[in-house]
Amino acid sequence: MIPVREESLRAWCEVRGDALRANVATLRSRLAPEALLGVVVKSDAYGHGLVLCAREFIAAGADWLIVNSLAEAVRLRRAGLTAPVYICAQVAPFEASIAVESGARVVLCDRNSARALAAAAHQHGTVLSCHIKLETGTHRQGIAPEDLLEYARWVEGLEGLKIEGLTTHFADIEDTADRGFAQEQMRILSAAAETLRAGGLDIPMVHAANSAAALLWPETHGSLVRVGIAAYGLWPSDTLREVAEERLPLPPRLCPALSWKARIAQVKTVPEGGTIGYGRTFRAPKPMRIGIVPVGYYEGYDRRMSNRGHVLIDGARAPVRGRVCMNMFMIDLADAPEAQPGQVVTLLGSEGEEEVGADRWASWMDSIHYEAVSRIHPEQPRLLRAEDGLLYLAEDAKAYE
């Protein structure tokens, strides 16, 4: 970890290590006794920084790291992380050799990738642990229940592969108080596992639980929970939070870990009647001071927040005026009359009593908070705010030191 001088930064994302650790402790306290805690760090750890967060999660007690792609698994290995890594999307046949070298667990749901992985494992003189993905109603990747036994027996016959688990993915468990569909998915999964065992196949692990299930329904935990958004301090949905508050005597407390900050690049005055930005979508009703913030939709500050969003400066709200540009946007400094170039504004996060959270972003974007945080551009440095109050860089040091 390399310390970073905050005054040298133009725009950056801060990740609070104490928040990540608190969330892991909360999730661990909710687990069924035999379940492993897997934390999903795909998509640059939901925009929080892959290697930085992976290290914090493992240090906090997570058992497995879960990624979407082989490239993410390789990045973790190159960063020195030796914890079990599970790739939840299918590995392409041409990636098979690298997948075997990474030592990651893989998902199987077709024959081409299974053949390639088996051949690569045999060539490397090893056995690759794999998990068969079962289709239970989400209709993405997966093997149909009626085809499972024949497929699993075929996989077992491939030298170089070992079936470690059977898995599926919930379709709507976080979006509704009605768990009927999720319960049917669990029934199909359990029946499929019994079919495999009755057919003479040993399946050590069966798993489906995501953040919602991990937080509220221990009967779904199985061998492994695959926690995503909750590990970063965000509830999977408002519906789930309402269910928790209604049904649990002590609802879990999640701590948002991410904030995004930038320094004002310029302060200027717009005359009465002057228009701001492309399309002239905002007209100044009187002379007004505006600040230019040097990030835009390329960096991940979504264009849909034009004339809708606000940032925080000195604990006050500063509304976005005009359209968000590719690399900058403009804010109204009426409630921050002392603001000057170089002053820090908070795009995402809190200052004093005010907060601009991912849920608020999602409402401005007409989207979900998953998209809000995961689309912050990787070029924005992700820095760890440590217990000593300093910022640290976990990787790519030469770019920001």
Side-chain angles (χ1 to χ4, degrees):
M1 300 292 283
I2 299 174
V4 177
R5 293 183 296 108
E6 190 169 335
E7 62 271 19
S8 69
L9 299 168
R10 178 177 177 175
W12 69 99
C13 292
E14 293 184 14
V15 179
R16 286 176 45 210
D18 61 336
L20 296 179
R21 291 190 294 274
N23 294 331
V24 168
T26 294
L27 292 161
R28 177 70 73 184
S29 72
R30 307 294 301 174
L31 287 194
E34 302 304 318
L36 296 173
L37 176 59
V39 179
V40 183
V41 292
K42 69 175 185 176
S43 304
D44 202 30
Y46 291 53
H48 292 61
L50 174 66
V51 172
L52 182 155
C53 290
R55 286 176 175 161
E56 289 296 307
F57 287 137
I58 292 299
D63 299 303
W64 285 25
L65 297 169
I66 300 170
V67 297
N68 181 70
S69 68
L70 175 59
E72 292 169 330
V74 170
R75 282 187 64 197
L76 292 176
R77 293 300 189 223
R78 288 177 176 171
L81 285 144
T82 59
V85 173
Y86 172 85
I87 304 173
C88 66
Q90 186 169 252
V91 172
F94 65 84
E95 298 176 312
S97 182
I98 299 174
V100 171
E101 290 173 0
S102 76
R105 271 86 171 168
V106 298
V107 163
L108 297 181
C109 55
D110 81 346
R111 294 181 186 260
N112 290 335
S113 60
R115 286 192 194 97
L117 288 162
H122 178 66
Q123 184 177 7
H124 283 78
T126 188
V127 176
L128 186 66
S129 296
C130 57
H131 294 237
I132 297 178
K133 188 67 170 286
L134 182 69
E135 175 55 66
T136 61
T138 307
H139 292 111
R140 303 195 307 183
Q141 58 182 8
I143 297 291
E146 60 269 24
D147 299 328
L148 176 64
L149 181 57
E150 189 274 332
Y151 178 77
R153 283 175 170 163
W154 175 81
V155 170
E156 279 283 287
L158 295 174
E159 187 176 358
L161 296 185
K162 174 183 69 177
I163 300 176
E164 183 180 43
L166 179 68
T167 181
T168 195
H169 196 85
F170 288 125
D172 70 345
I173 196 169
E174 69 272 8
D175 294 326
T176 175
D178 179 5
R179 293 168 53 217
F181 196 86
Q183 289 170 334
E184 176 62 10
Q185 288 187 279
M186 280 300 300
R187 186 198 67 76
I188 295 170
L189 178 65
S190 297
E194 285 304 312
T195 296
L196 293 180
R197 290 171 182 139
L201 296 174
D202 178 32
I203 306 296
M205 301 181 69
V206 179
H207 53 100
N210 56 6
S211 285
L215 287 165
L216 292 184
W217 295 294
E219 66 272 20
T220 68
H221 289 181
S223 309
L224 170 74
V225 299
R226 309 187 306 262
V227 177
I229 199 78
Y232 304 94
L234 303 174
W235 281 87
S237 69
D238 290 338
T239 299
L240 187 78
R241 181 171 10 204
E242 291 165 4
V243 169
E245 291 173 350
E246 290 172 3
R247 300 184 184 180
L248 298 179
L250 292 173
R253 181 175 179 269
L254 299 177
C255 303
L258 182 68
S259 60
W260 189 11
K261 300 181 180 182
R263 296 184 186 277
I264 295 176
Q266 183 182 7
V267 173
K268 61 194 303 181
T269 300
V270 178
E272 181 178 351
T275 56
I276 297 175
Y278 290 126
R280 303 170 62 214
T281 59
F282 183 87
R283 185 179 297 274
K286 58 184 179 181
M288 58 184 293
R289 293 176 78 241
I290 64 169
I292 315 303
V293 181
V295 300
Y297 56 80
Y298 170 78
E299 287 80 16
Y301 197 81
D302 199 279
R303 192 171 183 270
R304 289 168 287 184
M305 293 196 274
S306 301
N307 291 309
R308 299 180 72 181
H310 64 255
V311 303
L312 302 178
I313 179 168
D314 288 335
R317 300 183 184 186
V320 176
R321 299 304 191 197
R323 287 181 181 163
V324 174
C325 309
M326 185 179 291
N327 303 112
M328 68 184 73
F329 66 93
M330 291 66 72
I331 56 173
D332 186 343
L333 296 176
D335 292 329
E338 304 302 319
Q340 297 295 328
Q343 191 159 349
V344 175
V345 298
T346 298
L347 284 59
L348 176 69
S350 61
E351 287 189 17
E353 299 299 316
E354 290 285 353
E355 181 178 8
V356 184
D359 290 327
R360 181 69 61 84
W361 269 30
S363 69
W364 292 333
M365 295 165 58
D366 298 319
S367 184
I368 56 175
H369 54 357
Y370 293 76
E371 180 184 6
V373 294
S374 65
R375 289 186 61 206
I376 301 174
H377 200 286
E379 286 185 4
Q380 296 292 289
R382 270 57 167 186
L383 305 173
L384 178 69
R385 180 67 76 176
E387 292 181 358
D388 60 11
L390 300 179
L391 290 174
Y392 292 89
L393 181 70
E395 59 177 333
D396 299 329
K398 291 182 179 179
Y400 309 117
E401 64 184 357

